[in-house]
Amino acid sequence: MRKKWTKILLSSLLFFLFIFPVLFLFFKSITFGWNWPDILPHTLNLRAWTVIFNDPLIYRSLFTTVFIGVVVVILNYLIALPAAYALSHGNPRGKTLIETILLLPILVPVLAIAMGLHLVMIRLGIADNTAGVILIHLLPTLPYAVRVLKAGFDRISPDWVKQSRTIGTSQAAAFFIVLLPMMLPSIRSAGILVFVISLSQYVLTAIIGGGQVTTLPLLYYPFFNSANEAVVAGFSVLFAALPILFLILMESSIYLYKQWLHRL
Amino acid sequence: MLKLRQAAKKYEDQVIFSNIDIAVKAGDIVSILGPSGCGKTSLLRCIAGLAAFTEGELFIDSREVTRIKAENRPVVLMFQEPLLFPHLTVLQNAIYGMKHGKRKLSRKERIRQAEEMLKKIEMFEWKDRYPSQLSGGQQQRVSLARALLLQPSLLLLDEPFSSLDAHLRHSLRIWVRDFLKQEGVTALFVTHDREEAAVMSDRLIVMKDGKLQQEGEPREVYEQPLNKDVADFMSDGLHLDGEFYTASSLSISGSQAGTYQGIIEHPLFAYGYTFYRIKIPELEQSVVVRSDEVREEGQQVSIAVQQKGSAADD
């Protein structure tokens, strides 16, 4: 009996903390003039959503945000997977030093680094464009990705790769066919973590993008100043939907990969 | 078949093994036996190509393979753990090597051969299961199938039964030996269990401190160990004046007439007989002797030694 009540209490707590706010936001976005002390809104309509979807800037920035996020995730995998593998299963000289250097970007205030890098990027000609923003987004993401993936590799015995080599698979093939499937949980967490971090960058994007690269967070502020709360709510729902879109994208790729893996 | 000449492995000034010469005939099962840390596992990994010899030459099927990568050597190594790929089914695991590995076959052919092999090891009904759904012994059988489907010139086994419980270990090792013999597989087998080595192999090699101590048929090594280390590890008996007397030449005389005085430490029961471990303080040795009389722990006994050559037709 007590167990049952605890369960109910926990579920309702979870609901009110995590699900209710999102539902509320969504509900808010389809209301009109819902002010205190009204318990229910006067009218329901899609005016806020019409405002949002009639803004061409939003379409462009939605695309830019997702594009930058996905490229940042892919670059993270390309750099962090080999690095984490070498740190975990290899025995490079100065392992601790390398690990510390890889962690530095999150120990030193990112803003300080970004200011310096901005000058370099201007000289290189990658300031004020998407490439520069993608590069600068690696700064707050890569250290986490290496951490998460290294922890994943640490759990896997080096014997797996040895076993598949003695069966005759090259080291590269062993990586894709044996290690990667075992790494999927870590790859999932690293991916979503990196995407969400990239998604919420405001200052870095603003400095390096120079206002030319408009991601959703950059539009968020002007929208927030608008008097219409329904529009702000709608915008927030849209923002929250992006990680879900990313999850769907990632899960579909993983599904295709598994299908490929299971061919006889 | 396999020929290893003057092999040595050093790791940062530390000698793991040295002066190793081994020859294995086609179709033979040879065991390398030795205590933990004697270098036997490193030797096996070097033969597999997963680590490099510091010195020496390795020939397999008369071809020198010393510098060839593990993935291109005609050998397969089985580890202590079955290491079946957890995300693949039993059939997919069996097929793995014929798809990505040393023996590439067409899709139809690899499925046919894998299914045939799974029938032989009595795992065909389990072909669509995942490794986690199998018992330890079943996993090790599938692992053996995956290795043998590659038709390696030489199969290397690194204590493949050590992760199993005693009962399963006994039945599986006999099954594996019979299966390897039936398939005509040449195998090199590493273990620290002398009984396992004796059951499994045609010949055995005793190793200690990185050196080969003795090579021969199991009975030969048991009855005529060449030195004290081999005797201690592989045989039962007493060292007297630089000579070794196996337990079969010892008996408990009970009276004071025997040559050596001992104290019964504890009894052992095996294969229908009772044995006693006896401590002999004056020799600083212990020995296990069979006796049909019931004896107490702590009891004083005398050990009689049958002199060599005197009991040829006893």
Side-chain angles (χ1 to χ4, degrees):
Chain A
M1 199 58 199
R2 238 180 101 185
K3 229 175 170 177
K4 197 179 156 197
W5 281 109
T6 329
K7 214 171 161 184
I8 291 173
L9 191 77
L10 275 177
S11 330
S12 33
L13 204 67
L14 277 176
F15 179 81
F16 278 104
L17 281 179
F18 295 104
I19 300 170
F20 176 74
V22 180
L23 287 180
F24 181 77
L25 263 183
F26 182 72
F27 191 56
K28 175 93 187 168
S29 75
I30 53 171
T31 60
F32 183 72
W34 183 16
N35 293 314
W36 202 80
D38 300 337
I39 291 176
L40 286 172
H42 292 293
T43 45
L44 290 182
N45 67 33
L46 291 172
R47 209 186 63 92
W49 288 99
T50 333
V51 171
I52 290 171
F53 283 113
N54 276 336
D55 192 336
L57 254 184
I58 290 198
Y59 279 111
R60 271 250 319 274
S61 74
L62 259 180
F63 176 78
T64 315
T65 312
V66 174
F67 175 76
I68 291 176
V70 170
V71 175
V72 168
V73 169
I74 291 171
L75 281 179
N76 261 285
Y77 285 149
L78 287 179
I79 302 166
L81 272 171
Y85 182 60
L87 280 173
S88 172
H89 287 211
N91 203 3
R93 265 165 206 277
K95 200 166 170 172
T96 333
L97 186 73
I98 299 174
E99 273 184 78
T100 316
I101 290 176
L102 283 173
L103 259 179
L104 276 181
I106 42 177
L107 297 179
V108 177
V110 172
L111 203 55
I113 307 173
M115 290 299 194
L117 279 178
H118 191 206
L119 291 175
V120 179
M121 287 194 169
I122 290 172
R123 279 190 208 124
L124 290 174
I126 47 172
D128 298 350
N129 67 28
T130 315
V133 173
I134 287 171
L135 270 185
I136 205 72
H137 278 194
L138 290 180
L139 213 55
T141 53
L142 204 48
Y144 293 109
V146 172
R147 275 273 136 151
V148 171
L149 294 175
K150 182 180 174 288
F153 280 122
D154 284 345
R155 283 184 293 107
I156 300 173
S157 156
D159 279 350
W160 287 104
V161 171
K162 289 187 182 141
Q163 174 72 81
S164 76
R165 281 184 64 204
T166 178
I167 289 172
T169 19
S170 65
Q171 249 168 319
F175 186 84
F176 282 106
I177 304 163
V178 178
L179 276 185
L180 220 49
M182 296 186 190
M183 281 292 289
L184 278 181
S186 307
I187 285 179
R188 275 198 179 96
S189 1
I192 192 76
L193 184 70
V194 165
F195 186 80
V196 171
I197 294 177
S198 160
L199 190 65
S200 29
Q201 291 308 314
Y202 176 82
V203 179
L204 287 182
T205 315
I207 295 174
I208 305 293
Q212 303 297 308
V213 184
T214 45
T215 55
L216 273 189
L218 294 190
L219 291 182
Y220 214 148
Y221 282 87
F223 261 89
F224 223 88
N225 289 332
S226 92
N228 193 332
E229 284 181 15
V231 173
V232 176
F235 197 88
S236 301
V237 169
L238 195 63
F239 205 71
L242 285 187
I244 296 169
L245 177 76
F246 176 75
L247 264 183
I248 293 170
L249 237 151
M250 188 162 70
E251 288 305 319
S252 339
S253 331
I254 289 175
Y255 176 79
L256 288 177
Y257 168 66
K258 279 189 172 166
Q259 290 294 311
W260 173 79
L261 214 57
H262 280 262
R263 289 172 317 152
L264 288 172
Chain B
M1 183 42 248
L2 166 118
K3 203 169 260 169
L4 188 60
R5 263 197 224 135
Q6 283 302 302
K9 170 86 180 162
K10 289 177 186 119
Y11 185 74
E12 292 176 355
D13 302 337
Q14 192 194 346
V15 179
I16 314 283
F17 55 78
S18 61
N19 295 325
I20 306 277
D21 288 275
I22 292 178
V24 178
K25 275 196 312 198
D28 267 5
I29 302 176
V30 175
S31 290
I32 301 177
L33 180 70
S36 313
C38 72
K40 56 190 194 305
T41 295
S42 302
L43 177 62
L44 205 68
R45 292 197 174 196
C46 286
I47 295 175
L50 295 171
F53 288 111
T54 321
E55 288 164 33
E57 292 171 315
L58 172 66
F59 293 87
I60 293 170
D61 289 335
S62 316
R63 185 164 75 101
E64 202 198 328
V65 296
T66 325
R67 307 262 165 264
I68 290 180
K69 280 197 209 164
E71 42 268 47
N72 300 323
R73 286 192 194 186
V75 297
V76 177
L77 172 66
M78 270 180 75
F79 290 74
Q80 289 189 13
E81 304 291 325
L83 294 178
L84 293 178
F85 304 125
H87 52 283
L88 301 179
T89 63
V90 166
L91 183 63
Q92 286 164 346
N93 262 289
I95 280 171
Y96 183 89
M98 295 182 290
K99 186 179 168 202
H100 306 290
K102 284 177 174 160
R103 184 166 169 252
K104 297 227 168 44
L105 293 179
S106 69
R107 189 185 134 87
K108 208 174 137 189
E109 190 56 23
R110 63 185 179 233
I111 294 176
R112 189 188 69 77
Q113 293 204 14
E115 288 187 342
E116 194 180 314
M117 180 61 87
L118 289 181
K119 279 178 193 153
K120 275 193 210 165
I121 63 160
E122 291 158 27
M123 289 297 295
F124 185 73
E125 295 74 38
W126 299 77
K127 72 184 172 81
D128 295 320
R129 301 288 186 94
Y130 283 89
S132 56
Q133 296 168 300
L134 311 185
S135 70
Q138 288 175 321
Q139 289 189 25
Q140 208 48 287
R141 259 152 63 197
V142 175
S143 182
L144 181 70
R146 178 178 66 180
L148 290 184
L149 277 164
L150 296 168
Q151 302 182 340
S153 299
L154 178 69
L155 180 69
L156 306 170
L157 302 108
D158 183 6
E159 308 201 17
F161 311 121
S162 59
S163 58
L164 307 173
D165 65 68
H167 185 71
L168 192 58
R169 194 157 64 225
H170 282 269
S171 58
L172 192 64
R173 67 191 175 202
I174 293 168
W175 181 89
V176 167
R177 183 201 59 194
D178 293 346
F179 192 65
L180 293 179
K181 282 288 166 199
Q182 174 197 325
E183 300 282 307
V185 177
T186 314
L188 193 58
F189 176 83
V190 155
T191 180
H192 62 261
D193 181 335
R194 68 181 203 196
E195 190 182 323
E196 192 158 285
V199 170
M200 290 286 294
S201 47
D202 300 305
R203 298 181 70 74
L204 56 87
I205 295 170
V206 183
M207 223 175 140
K208 187 166 192 279
D209 298 333
K211 296 230 166 24
L212 291 195
Q213 306 291 331
Q214 187 172 358
E215 188 189 338
E217 287 175 21
R219 182 185 289 277
E220 189 184 327
V221 177
Y222 183 77
E223 288 178 353
Q224 295 150 29
L226 278 183
N227 60 38
K228 189 167 179 300
D229 286 335
V230 176
D232 286 345
F233 193 73
M234 186 56 209
S235 196
D236 305 288
L238 281 181
H239 302 279
L240 303 170
D241 309 320
E243 272 207 77
F244 182 73
Y245 292 83
T246 56
S248 61
S249 62
L250 307 175
S251 55
I252 299 176
S253 51
S255 69
Q256 299 295 308
T259 332
Y260 298 100
Q261 299 301 310
I263 301 157
I264 305 258
E265 286 193 313
H266 59 80
L268 296 159
F269 309 102
Y271 315 112
Y273 293 102
T274 306
F275 299 81
Y276 293 92
R277 175 173 284 277
I278 300 162
K279 195 167 138 191
I280 305 171
E282 61 182 297
L283 295 173
E284 293 183 340
Q285 292 181 42
S286 286
V287 67
V288 176
V289 179
R290 199 187 118 193
S291 172
D292 295 329
E293 275 181 59
V294 177
R295 291 168 197 280
E296 298 295 317
E297 276 180 41
Q299 189 186 339
Q300 286 267 348
V301 288
S302 301
I303 308 267
V305 182
Q306 211 165 51
Q307 288 305 311
K308 289 199 176 176
S310 68
D313 45 19
D314 188 56

